[in-house]
């Protein structure tokens, strides 16, 4: 089997895997698989090496990547403007299978993914592991040179994907976390900052839907203020033993043209109690298994939260 046929076979298997997750309601896994496949297709489209795919075929692959991104956005936010349904997406399976001979009009009015990075899960951290303080300063200088209007907020972060509080159940406790502010030495230079909140078990697997805050527009000295409530999507009593709530601080890097995780923090279950809490910040990449933790800074800069417990007696 030729390399190009192997690639097509691999893409088809990846698409089937993602669509299966989607149809089973395993949305976190589906989004991850869609993004991985979109990234693979985009790499082929943007490759400058000799390719067995024609320019027209590359354009079709780029449009498929766009559809995968649109479906991912639909799954991540009930408020997404890109409401792309699974039934529509399944029309792409035949195109992927027959990309080498496909010569019909593309079924959706979309454009190929623009020349920018689609990041597979965890890839953003890997791309930046070599980045040291000097590179950070170079990026922030570049950010300061232009206004934030040159880099408009990107969905879903601009609107956020926060979910409403769950219905109460007798004897069960719900947790509301107000993200008040985060302390960072270069807070003023962060473009389109937002937080991603997730609940992970000991193996780093999601036990709740992942949520994004809206982009923060308020910066003051070394603080970025959010003042936003996050409703944890599981009763406290039903959260698995050993799980933790993670907070990933993300911002846009205009020079590299993608959204990056700058640092993260987490709260363990024994820290759930009413009132304010201040938690430490750790260096990326986000370690969901909590085994190799490095503090972000020696300075006293933290994530400030306030917890409210709701119990229906």
């Amino acid at each position: 089997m030729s390399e190009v046929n192997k690639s097509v076979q691999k893409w088809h298997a990846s698409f089937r895997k993602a669509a299966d997750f989607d149809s089973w309601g395993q949305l976190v896994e589906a989004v991850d698989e869609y993004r991985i496949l979109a990234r693979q297709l985009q790499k082929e489209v943007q490759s400058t090496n000799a390719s067995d795919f024609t320019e027209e075929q590359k354009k079709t692959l780029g449009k498929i990547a766009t559809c995968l991104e649109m479906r991912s956005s639909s799954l991540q936010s009930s408020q997404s403007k890109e409401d792309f349904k699974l039934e529509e997406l399944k029309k792409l399976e035949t195109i992927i299978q027959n990309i080498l001979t496909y010569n019909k009009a593309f079924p959706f009015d979309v454009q190929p993914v623009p020349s920018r990075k689609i990041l597979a899960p965890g890839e953003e951290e890997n791309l930046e592991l070599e980045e040291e303080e000097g590179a950070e300063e170079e990026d922030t200088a570049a950010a300061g040179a232009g206004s934030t209007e040159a880099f408009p907020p990107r969905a879903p972060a601009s609107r956020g994907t926060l979910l409403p509080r769950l219905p109460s159940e007798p004897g069960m406790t719900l947790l509301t976390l107000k993200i008040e502010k985060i302390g960072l030495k270069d807070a003023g230079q962060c473009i389109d900052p937002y937080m991603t909140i997730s609940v992970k078990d000991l193996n780093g697997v999601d036990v709740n839907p992942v949520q994004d805050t809206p982009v923060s527009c308020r910066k003051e000295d070394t603080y970025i203020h959010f003042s936003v409530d996050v409703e944890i999507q599981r009763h406290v009593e039903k959260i698995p033993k050993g799980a933790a709530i993670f907070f990933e601080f993300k911002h846009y890097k205009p020079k590299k043209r993608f959204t990056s995780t700058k640092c993260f923090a987490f709260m363990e279950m024994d820290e759930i109690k009413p009132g304010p809490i201040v938690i430490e910040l750790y260096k990326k990449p986000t370690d969901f298994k909590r085994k190799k933790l490095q503090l972000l800074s020696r300075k006293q800069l933290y994530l400030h939260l306030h917890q409210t417990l709701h119990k229906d007696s």
Side-chain angles (χ1 to χ4, degrees), residues 16-54:
R16 287 293 301 272
K17 184 178 179 182
D20 283 347
F21 278 136
D22 199 344
S23 63
W24 298 335
Q26 294 178 239
L27 305 187
V28 173
E29 293 85 352
V31 168
D32 283 355
E33 290 298 329
Y34 285 139
R35 283 184 168 170
I36 289 168
L37 178 54
R39 176 69 173 135
Q40 290 170 350
L41 297 180
Q42 192 199 33
K43 283 175 76 173
E44 181 61 47
V45 170
Q46 296 180 358
S47 172
T48 54
N49 300 329
S51 173
D52 291 308
F53 295 99
T54 66

Side-chain angles (χ1 to χ4, degrees), residues 94-136:
T94 305
I95 302 175
I96 295 173
Q97 273 183 295
N98 302 297
I99 186 67
L100 297 174
T101 56
Y102 185 80
N103 57 8
K104 299 177 183 175
F106 197 75
F108 306 109
D109 184 17
V110 297
Q111 293 303 311
V113 172
S115 180
R116 62 178 175 81
K117 288 184 171 64
I118 299 175
L119 298 177
E123 194 173 9
E124 63 188 27
E125 288 92 349
N126 296 335
L127 285 170
E128 297 197 23
L129 281 176
E130 76 283 357
E131 193 177 79
E132 299 295 338
E133 287 297 314
E136 283 280 355

Side-chain angles (χ1 to χ4, degrees), residues 10-295:
K10 181 181 173 184
W11 295 337
H12 180 230
S14 181
F15 180 86
R16 287 293 301 272
K17 184 178 179 182
D20 283 347
F21 278 136
D22 199 344
S23 63
W24 298 335
Q26 294 178 239
L27 305 187
V28 173
E29 293 85 352
V31 168
D32 283 355
E33 290 298 329
Y34 285 139
R35 283 184 168 170
I36 289 168
L37 178 54
R39 176 69 173 135
Q40 290 170 350
L41 297 180
Q42 192 199 33
K43 283 175 76 173
E44 181 61 47
V45 170
Q46 296 180 358
S47 172
T48 54
N49 300 329
S51 173
D52 291 308
F53 295 99
T54 66
E55 287 305 309
E56 198 60 36
Q57 288 166 350
K58 284 188 173 186
K59 187 182 290 185
T60 300
L61 291 173
K63 290 181 178 181
I64 293 170
T66 297
C67 293
L68 294 170
E69 274 214 351
M70 289 169 69
R71 179 60 186 159
S72 296
S73 295
S74 293
L75 292 178
Q76 286 185 299
S77 173
S78 58
Q79 301 170 352
S80 173
K81 294 177 181 176
E82 299 174 330
D83 187 16
F84 201 85
K85 301 189 183 305
L86 177 58
E87 293 74 25
E88 297 173 324
L89 194 75
K90 285 182 175 178
K91 295 177 184 176
L92 301 179
E93 183 174 357
T94 305
I95 302 175
I96 295 173
Q97 273 183 295
N98 302 297
I99 186 67
L100 297 174
T101 56
Y102 185 80
N103 57 8
K104 299 177 183 175
F106 197 75
F108 306 109
D109 184 17
V110 297
Q111 293 303 311
V113 172
S115 180
R116 62 178 175 81
K117 288 184 171 64
I118 299 175
L119 298 177
E123 194 173 9
E124 63 188 27
E125 288 92 349
N126 296 335
L127 285 170
E128 297 197 23
L129 281 176
E130 76 283 357
E131 193 177 79
E132 299 295 338
E133 287 297 314
E136 283 280 355
E137 287 167 13
E138 190 176 316
D139 272 351
T140 53
S147 71
T148 55
E149 285 161 11
F151 309 100
R154 277 145 293 281
S158 57
R159 302 184 301 275
T161 59
L162 296 180
L163 298 166
R165 189 181 306 164
L166 294 175
S168 60
E169 288 185 18
M172 292 291 182
T173 309
L174 289 167
L175 172 62
T176 302
L177 287 167
K178 180 181 279 292
I179 300 178
E180 294 183 334
K181 60 184 179 180
I182 186 171
L184 297 165
K185 64 181 181 181
D186 56 351
Q189 276 80 44
C190 292
I191 296 175
D192 291 354
Y194 68 99
M195 303 285 294
T196 295
I197 302 91
S198 58
V199 182
K200 312 275 187 185
D201 67 14
L202 277 169
N203 295 314
V205 177
D206 284 310
V207 299
N208 275 359
V210 177
Q211 303 181 66
D212 291 329
T213 70
V215 164
S216 169
C217 299
R218 186 180 162 212
K219 301 167 189 173
E220 185 179 29
D221 299 326
T222 55
Y223 288 103
I224 295 173
H225 293 261
F226 288 94
S227 300
V228 65
D229 287 342
V230 179
E231 304 292 348
I232 299 303
Q233 297 294 298
R234 184 171 287 216
H235 293 90
V236 173
E237 292 83 359
K238 295 180 181 179
I239 296 176
K241 186 178 180 181
I245 303 170
F246 283 83
F247 307 84
E248 296 174 271
F249 177 81
K250 300 180 178 181
H251 64 131
Y252 185 66
K253 290 193 162 241
K255 197 170 181 183
K256 297 185 178 180
R257 293 197 293 176
F258 64 78
T259 297
S260 164
T261 300
K262 184 176 181 66
C263 59
F264 72 99
F266 63 88
M267 248 181 66
E268 296 184 323
M269 294 302 99
D270 60 1
E271 296 176 285
I272 295 179
K273 54 194 71 171
I277 182 172
V278 174
I279 54 179
E280 293 177 316
L281 302 174
Y282 296 96
K283 290 182 179 178
K284 64 186 178 187
T286 309
D287 181 9
F288 292 123
K289 295 184 180 180
R290 293 163 271 159
K291 291 186 176 176
K292 295 180 181 178
L293 301 170
Q294 279 188 290
L295 287 173

